[in-house]
Amino acid sequence: MKRTPIRKLLIANRGEVACRIIRTARTMGINTVAVYSEADAQALHVQLADEALCIGASAASASYLNASAVLAACARSGADAVHPGYGFLSESAVFAQSVQDAGLIFVGPDPHSIQALGNKSAGKQLANSIGVPCLPGYSGADQSITRLMSEAQMIGAPLMIKAASGGGGRGMRRIDQLDPITLQQALKSAAGEAQASFGDSTLLLERLVEHARHVEIQIFGDRYGDVIYLGERDCSTQRRHQKVIEEAPAPGLSDDTRRAMGEAAVQLAHAVRYVGAGTIEFLVAQDQSFYFLEMNTRLQVEHPVTESVTGLDLVRWQLLVAQGEPLPLTQNEIRSVGHAIEVRLCAEDAYAEFMPQAGLIGYWSADALARFDHGLSAKAEVPAHYDSMIGKLIVHGHTRSEALNKIESALLNTTVLGLVTNRDFLVQCVRDPAFQNAESFDASSPLSTGWLSAAMPDWPRPEPSSAWLAMAAALQLILKREARFGALSFFNSTGAQWNTWPLQCRDQRIDAKVKALHQSSSEISVDVSINLKGAVHNHHVVFERASSATEHHTLQAKLDGLSTPITFWSEGSILWLDALGMINQVRSLRGEPPERRDASQQHAITSSMHGLVTRVLVAAGQSVKAGELLLCIEAMKMEHRIEAPRDTTIAEVLVTAGQQVAPQHALVNFSVAPQI
């Protein structure tokens, strides 16, 4: 077998995965080329690569999904290989073939393998043909609504609708009752989302197994016919069918089941002469019977947990195999030690239906003792055009219990300020008994693909305590005074004075009174009185005296005698504060006029996100019923349905399909409509 060394590698991706690939390539002496969209001109992967080329406008369709632009960048840079990362073009057989036709190395499986396994329908048909267990379902070519509804009735409920192409939960719908109207709506919505995300509206239907786990096998193949598996990962903690937490090994899985799943995965890979990294995903029932779901013919987002327990660099393995090298180890040489957990830190509001967020990050820092895979530059921005994931925190422990302690600590010591993230939500996840007590696979274990959606109704949005608000009020006072008066901030010839300092936290006004006294050259002491929901709480806050607090983002504080570190970022009247295990934002209302609503917005539904209008289903003069679908917005690869809040008449439609919108952009005018 001919070995062809890679000298210059183009990474056809962005963000944390591009940075991850660049770092491994550098250790192997391989030069790297980054491609980027106009939105990513200042991104970290652009800074890390040896060379970088802009390939198009901000929209993914004009840049990272534009195969012609990527291939042109290869020609311009002289790259001899392409690594697709994950997402975007990574599972496009057409793109892989185009790369090979251009005489370049594609760091991934051959096009025929992607075609055979990358499509869920084709993968299920192949698995069935070689005896790998599959769930009852339909994956046929007839995609008419009539046929799909008929097949759904035969399969029965509960039922899963899935996009045949792609992944990440897009194009997926759960059906618990086979009501014809609901089913038809779900099929059309899933097909539309699949078309928008993957350019393919093909759906498959699958019987849903309740209280099952999502367990996947990492496999690797080379061009010499060898295929091995590197253990498994449990990815059962999911929201909207998208993974939130992954771990290796799967807790409670028996050695016999682990081996049987690994052998089934290898059998499937052998059937298509698979080369490179791939993941076979299974659904595992409480009795540990397992069923093939799909194969991802690429590196997975969660590959670091496998790296953590095996001690291997999977990107290095990908590059070695792509160069024609044999697998570095045999099956018998693979070892797994300890337990690893990964959490996905995302720019989203988990307590508002995981609404994606976008914008500038004012300040960020990560726990020094955890692995943090990210694509954040010093002045980072989360663009509205791509996935909401900011980065991934990964920890390794000798036991699962130790790993659980480490991941909670890592989260609490990781801060992203300037926009809403899911950090505090992740802390709630890893603390929950359903996740903590997952050492068995039987009915006594609450962990399953549905545990998070079942638990969340009991998780109200965490509200800041009076102690947290006291810290915020005291810090607002200090920052405002130091910015205005400098060293004389706390001098007062008549002694310390109480100051009224109203704050707004989300939609709630908090009445605070603060009294500051510069006690020494090293500390600032502040008395705070907080009126919270009719009760008055008095606190004493002491901050270390920084030379200029506005230039620092971390301080040591004492709250009522208890020492605690805090992290903050301030801009104008806005303060973001990470303290006492909570990140939140407050706005100072001191000296500001009462907020006025724009009268033009009072009779409109406005967008609460950056996104692309994909469908508009109403017109001016049309009468609509409460709950009727008006339009759809795609934000960070997810479709959001905009529905009528009441029976009314459309006065004006203010957007068209294909239009980009930002928060507060008016979408539809009618009689009365609260902001969505």
Side-chain angles (χ1 to χ4, degrees):
M1 180 68 65
K2 181 181 178 182
R3 291 172 171 80
T4 307
I6 297 172
R7 291 184 171 83
K8 183 179 283 191
L9 176 69
L10 184 140
I11 297 100
N13 218 296
R14 64 177 300 276
E16 60 89 14
V17 66
C19 296
R20 164 77 185 86
I21 296 164
I22 290 168
R23 290 189 175 103
T24 287
R26 180 164 293 151
T27 67
M28 300 174 66
I30 298 172
N31 290 328
T32 56
V33 180
V35 293
Y36 62 94
S37 70
E38 292 175 358
D40 278 339
Q42 304 303 316
L44 183 61
H45 75 282
V46 176
Q47 300 171 27
L48 290 180
D50 297 298
E51 301 173 21
L53 289 168
C54 181
I55 57 170
S58 299
S61 59
S63 51
Y64 300 108
L65 285 170
N66 187 337
S68 297
V70 173
L71 290 169
C74 290
R76 287 177 60 194
S77 64
D80 50 23
V82 176
H83 195 309
Y86 37 72
F88 296 131
L89 296 168
S90 62
E91 292 186 282
S92 168
V94 173
F95 176 66
Q97 187 65 60
S98 297
V99 171
Q100 292 185 357
D101 289 345
L104 308 177
I105 297 171
F106 181 75
V107 183
D110 291 330
H112 72 84
S113 297
I114 299 175
Q115 193 67 42
L117 288 171
N119 181 281
K120 293 183 181 69
S121 295
K124 283 178 70 79
Q125 291 165 10
L126 176 61
N128 268 317
S129 71
I130 63 174
V132 175
C134 296
L135 291 166
Y138 174 72
S139 55
D142 186 350
Q143 290 287 300
S144 66
I145 290 292
T146 302
R147 179 63 182 272
L148 291 172
M149 291 183 68
S150 173
E151 292 289 344
Q153 294 292 340
M154 289 190 284
I155 296 166
L159 174 76
M160 286 300 298
I161 301 170
K162 294 184 177 181
S165 298
R170 294 175 290 279
M172 293 183 69
R173 301 290 186 274
R174 172 177 173 147
I175 303 296
D176 289 303
Q177 294 182 343
L178 296 175
D179 168 65
I181 295 176
T182 302
L183 178 60
Q184 185 174 15
Q185 261 188 351
L187 288 167
K188 289 182 177 179
S189 176
E193 189 172 299
Q195 181 65 42
S197 298
F198 315 118
D200 181 3
S201 63
T202 305
L203 302 176
L204 61 84
L205 309 176
E206 202 168 69
R207 185 64 185 266
L208 178 68
V209 177
E210 296 280 13
H211 308 299
R213 291 196 194 176
H214 184 137
V215 180
E216 59 191 30
I217 303 290
Q218 175 71 62
I219 62 102
F220 244 98
D222 63 21
R223 296 204 174 277
Y224 301 88
D226 290 327
V227 180
I228 64 173
Y229 65 95
L230 307 180
E232 84 286 351
R233 300 182 287 256
D234 192 309
C235 308
S236 300
T237 301
Q238 303 176 1
R239 58 100 169 105
R240 288 184 169 179
H241 312 298
Q242 292 184 315
K243 300 165 187 174
V244 176
I245 305 175
E246 302 97 358
E247 56 184 312
L253 193 70
S254 72
D255 288 341
D256 287 344
T257 304
R258 180 176 290 113
R259 184 169 50 254
M261 291 176 66
E263 290 172 353
V266 168
Q267 179 188 2
L268 196 56
H270 269 305
V272 294
R273 305 185 305 281
Y274 194 84
V275 175
T279 303
I280 314 287
E281 303 195 356
F282 294 96
L283 202 63
V284 185
Q286 289 180 333
D287 63 0
Q288 299 206 22
S289 57
F290 58 89
Y291 306 93
F292 171 74
L293 288 176
E294 65 185 46
M295 180 174 187
N296 290 295
T297 55
R298 53 173 167 78
L299 197 67
Q300 289 278 87
V301 176
E302 57 272 20
H303 76 273
V305 294
T306 297
E307 293 184 324
S308 295
V309 295
T310 61
L312 304 173
D313 182 335
L314 299 192
V315 174
R316 179 181 177 84
W317 274 41
Q318 283 188 297
L319 295 171
L320 290 173
V321 167
Q323 294 177 126
E325 299 287 341
L327 293 175
L329 297 175
T330 66
Q331 187 67 65
N332 292 334
E333 293 174 313
I334 301 300
R335 298 288 182 269
S336 180
V337 178
H339 200 93
I341 300 176
E342 172 185 290
V343 296
R344 302 188 186 196
L345 186 63
C346 298
E348 63 185 18
D349 188 345
Y351 300 99
E353 298 183 348
F354 300 98
M355 186 69 69
Q357 309 292 302
L360 292 172
I361 293 175
Y363 175 78
W364 68 271
S365 63
D367 181 55
L369 299 179
R371 172 175 168 177
F372 184 44
D373 283 14
H374 68 91
L376 300 176
S377 56
K379 295 183 178 180
E381 182 176 3
V382 179
H385 312 282
Y386 316 118
D387 189 270
S388 64
M389 189 171 71
I390 295 171
K392 307 174 304 194
L393 278 170
I394 307 102
V395 300
H396 180 268
H398 293 290
T399 63
R400 186 174 190 265
S401 178
E402 182 179 308
L404 285 168
N405 290 338
K406 283 186 172 182
I407 196 64
E408 181 178 340
S409 176
L411 281 164
L412 292 173
N413 286 291
T414 297
T415 302
V416 177
L417 305 177
L419 45 70
V420 176
T421 75
N422 66 339
R423 191 208 71 168
D424 293 353
F425 171 76
L426 290 171
V427 172
Q428 205 162 9
C429 286
V430 300
R431 285 176 174 172
D432 192 272
F435 189 72
Q436 293 270 331
N437 304 316
E439 298 295 344
S440 65
F441 240 95
D442 57 23
S444 66
S445 174
L447 186 64
S448 72
T449 55
W451 85 263
L452 190 55
S453 59
M456 278 197 67
D458 296 326
W459 294 357
R461 181 191 291 273
E463 296 294 336
S465 64
S466 64
W468 190 96
L469 290 165
M471 198 94 75
L475 192 56
Q476 280 276 36
L477 170 70
I478 291 169
L479 294 175
K480 290 284 187 181
R481 283 198 171 185
E482 286 212 339
R484 185 174 181 184
F485 300 113
L488 299 176
S489 296
F490 302 100
F491 175 80
N492 191 311
S493 60
T494 61
Q497 301 290 318
W498 282 102
N499 292 273
T500 300
W501 208 284
L503 302 173
Q504 181 175 324
C505 187
R506 299 194 188 94
D507 296 328
Q508 184 178 8
R509 179 189 169 100
I510 308 295
D511 291 318
K513 292 183 178 181
V514 291
K515 180 169 64 174
L517 177 64
H518 183 186
Q519 289 184 332
S520 70
S521 61
S522 60
E523 291 184 340
I524 301 171
S525 176
V526 184
D527 286 331
V528 186
S529 177
I530 296 289
N531 188 329
L532 184 61
K533 297 180 179 178
V536 176
H537 305 265
N538 297 312
H539 296 281
H540 184 67
V541 183
V542 179
F543 294 112
E544 66 179 11
R545 185 70 166 87
S547 59
S548 177
T550 54
E551 296 178 4
H552 295 260
H553 296 286
T554 59
L555 287 174
Q556 195 67 24
K558 287 182 183 177
L559 176 72
D560 300 329
L562 178 66
S563 182
T564 182
I566 66 168
T567 307
F568 67 92
W569 178 70
S570 178
E571 185 176 54
S573 63
I574 300 295
L575 170 70
W576 287 85
L577 176 62
D578 184 359
L580 305 176
M582 170 178 281
I583 295 177
N584 220 318
Q585 177 205 91
V586 293
R587 184 164 70 92
S588 172
L589 301 179
R590 184 178 170 87
E592 292 191 3
E595 182 179 0
R596 295 183 178 180
R597 286 180 58 91
D598 184 347
S600 68
Q601 299 297 311
Q602 293 182 13
H603 304 295
I605 290 183
T606 61
S607 177
S608 57
M609 70 195 88
H610 291 273
L612 177 72
V613 178
T614 56
R615 291 189 287 164
V616 176
L617 305 175
V618 292
Q622 181 177 336
S623 296
V624 293
K625 298 288 185 182
E628 185 173 339
L629 181 62
L630 306 179
L631 55 92
C632 294
I633 295 176
E634 181 187 336
M636 292 186 173
K637 301 183 181 180
M638 297 179 66
E639 183 182 77
H640 300 266
R641 295 166 56 88
I642 311 303
E643 299 175 346
R646 60 179 309 193
D647 293 357
T648 186
T649 300
I650 303 296
E652 188 179 11
V653 178
L654 304 171
V655 292
T656 58
Q659 181 177 344
Q660 288 280 347
V661 294
Q664 305 306 317
H665 189 115
L667 304 172
V668 177
N669 275 340
F670 46 75
S671 54
V672 176
Q675 177 173 308
I676 57 169

